[in-house]
Amino acid sequence: MINDKFLWGGAIAANQAEGAYNVDGKGLSIMDTVTSGNKDTPRRFTLEFEKNSYYPNHLGIDFYNNYETDTDLFREMGFQCFRTSIAWSRIFPNGDDEEPNEQGLVYYDNLFKTLKEKGMEPIVTISHFEMPLALVKKYGGWRNRKLIDLYARFAEVVFRRYKGIVKYWMTFNEINSTIMVPAIAGIIVGNDDDVKKISYQALHHQFVASAKAVIIGHDIDPENKIGCMVMTTVGYPKTSHPLDVLASQEYLRDGTLFYCDVQMRGEYPNYFKSYGVDLEVLEGDLELLKRGVTDYVGFSYYASQVVSYNGEGDQIQGNMTTGLKNPYLDASPWGWQIDPDGLIYLMRELYERYNKPLFIVENGFGHNDVVEKDGSIVDDYRIDYLSKHIKAMLSVMNTENIEVIGYTAWGPIDIVSAGTGEMDKRYGFIYVDLNNEGKGTLKRIRKKSFQWYKEVIASNGECL
Ligand code: BG6
């Protein structure tokens, strides 16, 4: 039995849900200029609007204008927490404006107040792929050190404004995305650019910015719990060939643990030397990293993969990664391999390495749901996926005393997919009537999993 402080809920990101991309003083964010795509066609960062391209984040699911009723549905499911992010360009439309945009701040005043009134603890990601586009155009995104102070100022403004209302924060969503998809960090590379060097330098700036935010956040309110947030995945060795096992070890260390090592231990690990990156580290940076250690490990987990030292094998998609197919696992229609045991593997690794609380802030199953003739949506595959992952989580919490703050299912209401821009890659307990071209009534419909998750929460994880 888990303790009653455990937080059950759901998680979204502002850019994938809010829409309202150009109202109430909001500036454009980088995600506003990312086209829609699909499983086989990658999204494109166009930076300017192309006449014939569709930009799904402009509308999202119009959460901005529907949060009152959407949060009613979350309350109906019994959510004890709700994770979202603050769109940076609502608060600082250009990123370097002299004053914050009051209308943007008011929106989050209202949203967080609404959550509190409905019994949900707001869990806030300060930056979830949402940097102001102007920072990309003017400064080159996170490759530029100037971003550190601009981000720290943004963080300070929101820490002050939401003091006493928001207690759980995360500095950057999936900070490893900067290396995997550098454009998310505003890094648009030219032909002659050394992408690896630029990306690690940008990441260094984010590490320092994160540390600064942690220091500021603790200073403003010592009650604040400020976590890191990493995308996690396991890469099992393809065979027992020792080189496959080493490849698997390096996959975990370099793809997941490195990012937590820096933020949870406050220093670059010795093995960073093997990356062969010559970082520009200014005086004071390392001191900041030491002082700005994050309080908990927030992480997303969806799927696992297989790796081999020579890369041979059938390739399969994962969350921002590609790996090899695992003959023992099924996969989602988007190729993400379903592996609840991978969650156990990662929880052990993370807890034993840092001995700090974990927070599973994303886990879920993207599927193209069908609305039946009678209007019902029977998403048994989602119930099956979530139930197995929650069981896995509870098993190690109970038998190995791994401390977990909470579990927020990804996309409790259907939102725009970050990876493909599709609406049809749905994660929700609540269906949103909107298609990949942005057509639909936006009507919300409870899926079968809605009632299921409600019972999971009511029984504190007993009824799965
Ligand atoms: C994570 C992101 O990578 O996975 C989310 O933090 C994203 O923003 C989620 O939506 C699921 O990925 P996708 O591509 O299926 O939306």
Side-chain angles (χ1 to χ4, degrees):
M1 186 65 188
I2 51 173
N3 73 44
D4 54 13
K5 283 205 188 116
F6 185 84
L7 296 170
W8 294 98
I12 61 165
N15 75 89
Q16 291 169 254
E18 286 177 0
Y21 80 105
N22 59 356
V23 305
D24 295 341
K26 178 179 173 294
L28 290 180
S29 102
I30 186 154
M31 293 311 285
D32 293 325
T33 62
V34 186
T35 61
S36 62
N38 58 44
K39 190 164 168 273
D40 308 307
T41 319
R43 304 184 77 181
R44 289 179 301 114
F45 290 76
T46 61
L47 301 191
E48 305 294 338
F49 294 140
E50 294 174 348
K51 224 166 148 208
N52 297 319
S53 294
Y54 175 57
Y55 296 94
N57 298 56
H58 290 189
L59 174 63
I61 55 159
D62 201 21
F63 183 73
Y64 193 80
N65 293 305
N66 289 280
Y67 72 84
E68 288 279 3
T69 42
D70 288 341
T71 51
D72 279 344
L73 291 166
F74 302 150
R75 172 170 55 184
E76 193 182 323
M77 275 188 281
F79 279 20
Q80 296 150 351
C81 70
F82 180 68
R83 172 182 174 230
T84 189
S85 56
I86 296 179
W88 188 347
S89 65
R90 277 197 203 287
I91 311 303
F92 286 102
N94 298 293
D96 60 356
D97 315 72
E98 288 202 350
E99 294 298 326
N101 169 34
E102 182 59 22
Q103 283 172 292
L105 289 165
V106 167
Y107 167 69
Y108 292 105
D109 281 336
N110 294 336
L111 174 62
F112 299 151
K113 209 172 106 222
T114 302
L115 291 171
K116 283 282 207 187
E117 282 167 6
K118 295 179 184 175
M120 286 172 257
E121 187 73 42
I123 316 285
V124 174
T125 318
I126 297 173
S127 173
H128 190 133
F129 306 162
E130 278 137 351
M131 65 186 309
L133 183 65
L135 294 182
V136 181
K137 292 187 172 173
K138 190 163 167 190
Y139 301 98
W142 276 100
R143 71 167 86 197
N144 193 324
R145 265 194 86 85
K146 287 213 169 76
L147 273 274
I148 299 176
D149 286 336
L150 294 171
Y151 172 91
R153 195 167 61 118
F154 164 49
E156 179 168 356
V157 165
V158 296
F159 280 132
R160 285 199 193 288
R161 181 78 172 215
Y162 307 118
K163 180 177 175 181
I165 299 170
V166 179
K167 176 175 158 197
Y168 289 99
W169 302 84
M170 273 161 278
T171 51
F172 287 92
N173 182 65
E174 294 185 339
I175 198 163
N176 25 9
S177 62
T178 298
I179 301 302
M180 289 156 187
V181 188
I184 289 177
I187 298 161
I188 310 301
V189 284
N191 291 339
D192 300 332
D193 279 339
D194 179 343
V195 185
K196 182 174 174 190
K197 186 174 161 60
I198 293 171
S199 309
Y200 277 101
Q201 189 63 47
L203 178 69
H204 175 69
H205 296 152
Q206 291 182 326
F207 282 149
V208 176
S210 168
K212 272 196 153 185
V214 171
I215 296 165
I216 294 168
H218 284 155
D219 202 39
I220 290 174
D221 188 349
E223 289 296 303
N224 276 333
K225 301 279 176 235
I226 310 167
C228 59
M229 194 309 199
V230 288
M231 191 274 286
T232 67
T233 179
V234 188
Y236 299 115
K238 188 177 169 209
T239 69
S240 54
H241 191 304
L243 290 181
D244 277 349
V245 176
L246 286 184
S248 162
Q249 185 182 40
E250 285 164 16
Y251 182 89
L252 180 69
R253 188 190 66 179
D254 302 338
T256 295
L257 300 175
F258 165 65
Y259 305 87
C260 305
D261 279 351
V262 177
Q263 294 181 93
M264 295 298 294
R265 291 172 165 167
E267 60 188 9
Y268 278 89
N270 291 330
Y271 62 80
F272 180 65
K273 195 169 173 227
S274 69
Y275 292 11
V277 182
D278 188 18
L279 276 189
E280 189 185 57
V281 177
L282 297 198
E283 210 190 317
D285 285 1
L286 300 182
E287 171 65 21
L288 283 169
L289 293 184
K290 274 216 157 35
R291 289 174 47 218
V293 167
T294 41
D295 298 320
Y296 63 89
V297 185
F299 68 99
S300 62
Y301 174 74
Y302 292 90
S304 72
Q305 297 179 333
V306 166
V307 292
S308 71
Y309 75 95
N310 56 15
E312 282 171 8
D314 292 341
Q315 295 279 330
I316 192 149
Q317 279 297 319
N319 185 8
M320 285 191 279
T321 54
T322 45
L324 304 181
K325 209 167 155 56
N326 189 329
Y328 302 101
L329 300 178
D330 290 330
S332 81
W334 275 261
W336 293 21
Q337 300 185 116
I338 305 165
D339 178 21
D341 295 317
L343 179 60
I344 296 182
Y345 185 104
L346 285 161
M347 286 174 70
R348 286 178 176 158
E349 281 290 328
L350 295 171
Y351 196 63
E352 283 161 24
R353 202 168 171 106
Y354 309 111
N355 205 19
K356 287 272 184 70
L358 309 182
F359 200 157
I360 301 173
V361 293
E362 286 186 32
N363 175 237
F365 196 54
H367 207 285
N368 40 351
D369 303 324
V370 174
V371 185
E372 304 293 340
K373 282 207 181 71
D374 65 359
S376 64
I377 297 143
V378 187
D379 54 343
D380 288 322
Y381 38 82
R382 181 167 297 111
I383 295 175
D384 190 55
Y385 174 98
L386 292 171
S387 139
K388 286 180 176 149
H389 283 75
I390 293 174
K391 254 184 214 144
M393 169 187 79
L394 294 177
S395 73
V396 280
M397 283 173 69
N398 287 331
T399 58
E400 300 177 21
N401 274 342
I402 294 185
E403 192 185 343
V404 183
I405 299 170
Y407 174 92
T408 55
W410 179 248
I413 180 165
D414 296 342
I415 53 177
V416 174
S417 156
T420 69
E422 294 164 293
M423 268 310 292
D424 269 353
K425 194 177 183 199
R426 298 170 183 277
Y427 287 84
F429 306 113
I430 302 159
Y431 184 90
V432 176
D433 178 28
L434 190 68
N435 70 13
N436 291 343
E437 286 79 47
K439 306 247 164 27
T441 61
L442 286 173
K443 188 176 166 207
R444 279 49 171 162
I445 308 168
R446 294 169 187 76
K447 303 181 193 175
K448 184 174 175 187
S449 55
F450 185 99
Q451 184 61 28
W452 171 82
Y453 196 47
K454 186 176 170 179
E455 281 162 27
V456 173
I457 297 177
S459 65
N460 206 12
E462 293 282 299
C463 296
L464 283 164

